[in-house]
């Protein structure tokens, strides 16, 4: 994993300027909420299809890295976990399976995405369902007290934040003093061969499939635009460090198509 030790204080996130729709007078937060409400029924299928099933492997590799950090810190199981931008809850359910003693809270803007998560919860084992809670809320104004969680995760969500630094500041606020942040985010490969192939796939094939499956002609065009505009790798770590996190490290997978970021609230955690 690579580490960024020299954050640039004035770094900005271009993804904040990329919106799902072009509604006059409507901020990005509300547009993102509408977009995910629109695509909620097709979201899980599209996730698997457009990543060729790799999203499950990426999630598991990210949580494997979290477990390594927890073990080094002598805390093999987090007691309270927050999954930000939880969507349909896949990361929350996996964490509940891995850590049988943990309580998992998932928060998301979209009521329709949470409705899908709640339906999954209804069919889950009763021991698991009692440990998972889903709630609707704004990731820029998290409805939780300071110092509430041992671990905060967010998968494929931070590039949708209207104000990225504010989102990170909120996640830092709700983490306990020894808390850990894990971010999984899509990124653009940098290789001379993989980058053009990725561009063709993400800008041509994914939007076409998204229009056919989800019925929203804009949502899966916004996806590659927001990925390209978002800060990536060392640049993302710089923003996390500027928000107050320490020791941000990153690891790219699948030729750079996705990147995992780990950071901690205190400098001696990683």
């Amino acid at each position: 994993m690579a580490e960024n030790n020299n954050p640039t204080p004035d770094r900005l996130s271009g993804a904040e300027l990329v919106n799902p729709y072009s509604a006059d007078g409507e901020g990005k937060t509300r547009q993102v909420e509408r977009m995910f409400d629109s695509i909620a029924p097709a979201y899980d299928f599209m996730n698997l299809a457009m990543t060729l099933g790799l999203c499950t492997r990426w999630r598991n590799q990210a949580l494997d890295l979290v477990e390594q950090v927890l073990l080094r810190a002598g805390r093999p199981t987090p007691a309270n976990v927050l999954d930000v931008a939880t969507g349909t809850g896949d990361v929350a359910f996996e964490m509940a399976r891995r850590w049988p003693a943990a309580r998992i809270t998932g928060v998301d803007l979209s009521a329709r995405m949470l409705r899908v998560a709640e339906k999954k919860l209804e069919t889950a084992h009763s021991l698991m369902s009692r440990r998972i809670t889903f709630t609707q809320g704004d990731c820029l104004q998290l409805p939780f007290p300071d110092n509430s969680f041992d671990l905060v995760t967010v998968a494929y969500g931070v590039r949708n934040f209207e104000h990225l630094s504010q989102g990170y500041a909120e996640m830092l606020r709700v983490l306990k003093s020894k808390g850990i942040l894990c971010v999984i985010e899509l990124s653009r490969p940098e290789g001379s061969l993989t980058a053009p192939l990725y561009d063709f796939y993400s800008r041509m094939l994914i939007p076409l499939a998204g229009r056919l499956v989800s019925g929203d002609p804009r949502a899966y065009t916004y996806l590659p635009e927001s990925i390209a505009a978002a800060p990536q790798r060392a640049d993302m770590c710089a923003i996390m460090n500027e928000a107050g996190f320490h020791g941000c490290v990153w690891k790219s997978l699948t030729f750079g198509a996705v990147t995992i970021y780990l950071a901690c609230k205190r400098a001696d955690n990683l």
Side-chain angles (χ1 to χ4, degrees), residues 151-171:
L151 169 67
V152 172
T153 60
V154 51
Y156 318 116
V158 296
R159 64 190 159 74
N160 297 317
F161 289 177
E162 187 166 355
H163 303 292
L164 185 55
S165 294
Q166 183 180 338
Y168 279 131
E170 274 292 275
M171 291 187 278

Side-chain angles (χ1 to χ4, degrees), residues 116-193:
V116 176
E118 291 284 1
K119 288 181 179 178
K120 293 179 183 178
L121 193 59
E122 290 173 3
T123 62
H125 190 283
S126 60
L127 292 177
M128 179 182 290
S129 64
R130 287 198 292 267
R131 295 186 294 109
I132 302 176
T133 302
F134 293 114
T135 185
Q136 187 174 13
D138 187 346
C139 300
L140 305 185
Q141 295 179 309
L142 291 170
F144 309 107
D146 297 356
N147 308 306
S148 297
F149 300 98
D150 305 293
L151 169 67
V152 172
T153 60
V154 51
Y156 318 116
V158 296
R159 64 190 159 74
N160 297 317
F161 289 177
E162 187 166 355
H163 303 292
L164 185 55
S165 294
Q166 183 180 338
Y168 279 131
E170 274 292 275
M171 291 187 278
L172 184 73
R173 177 184 66 79
V174 301
L175 272 172
K176 295 179 181 179
S177 63
K178 294 185 178 181
I180 297 167
L181 171 68
C182 175
V183 174
I184 311 170
E185 191 51 87
L186 297 169
S187 49
R188 183 178 182 271
E190 296 179 313
S192 58
L193 293 177

Side-chain angles (χ1 to χ4, degrees), residues 8-25:
T8 304
D10 60 351
R11 199 182 305 276
L12 299 176
S13 169
E16 295 171 345
L17 305 176
V18 179
N19 294 322
Y21 310 110
S22 58
D24 293 337

Side-chain angles (χ1 to χ4, degrees), residues 65-157:
L65 291 173
V66 169
E67 287 185 327
Q68 293 172 22
V69 174
L70 290 169
L71 285 171
R72 287 200 301 268
R75 296 177 288 125
T77 300
N80 291 292
V81 181
L82 175 65
D83 186 37
V84 171
T86 194
T88 62
D90 280 356
V91 174
F93 286 111
E94 176 59 26
M95 291 191 291
R97 283 189 287 269
R98 284 180 179 241
W99 303 314
R103 299 195 65 83
I104 317 294
T105 302
V107 63
D108 199 277
L109 275 174
S110 168
R112 292 193 69 187
M113 293 284 278
L114 290 173
R115 204 171 302 152
V116 176
E118 291 284 1
K119 288 181 179 178
K120 293 179 183 178
L121 193 59
E122 290 173 3
T123 62
H125 190 283
S126 60
L127 292 177
M128 179 182 290
S129 64
R130 287 198 292 267
R131 295 186 294 109
I132 302 176
T133 302
F134 293 114
T135 185
Q136 187 174 13
D138 187 346
C139 300
L140 305 185
Q141 295 179 309
L142 291 170
F144 309 107
D146 297 356
N147 308 306
S148 297
F149 300 98
D150 305 293
L151 169 67
V152 172
T153 60
V154 51
Y156 318 116

Side-chain angles (χ1 to χ4, degrees), residues 1-2 50-51 53-66 68 98 155-156 182-191 194-195 198 227 232-233 249-262:
M1 298 180 76
M50 73 183 183
T51 66
L54 290 171
C55 56
T56 300
R57 180 183 297 180
W58 297 338
R59 177 197 67 204
N60 291 341
Q61 288 183 267
L63 295 179
D64 288 346
L65 291 173
V66 169
Q68 293 172 22
R98 284 180 179 241
Y156 318 116
C182 175
V183 174
I184 311 170
E185 191 51 87
L186 297 169
S187 49
R188 183 178 182 271
E190 296 179 313
T194 53
Y198 167 85
I227 295 169
Q232 299 178 14
R233 306 176 183 92
V249 293
W250 57 268
K251 181 177 183 178
S252 285
L253 307 174
T254 315
F255 306 105
V258 69
T259 302
I260 299 164
Y261 304 88
L262 291 174

Side-chain angles (χ1 to χ4, degrees), residues 41-53:
Y43 181 81
D44 283 342
F45 173 81
M46 282 298 299
N47 251 16
L48 285 170
M50 73 183 183
T51 66
L52 307 178

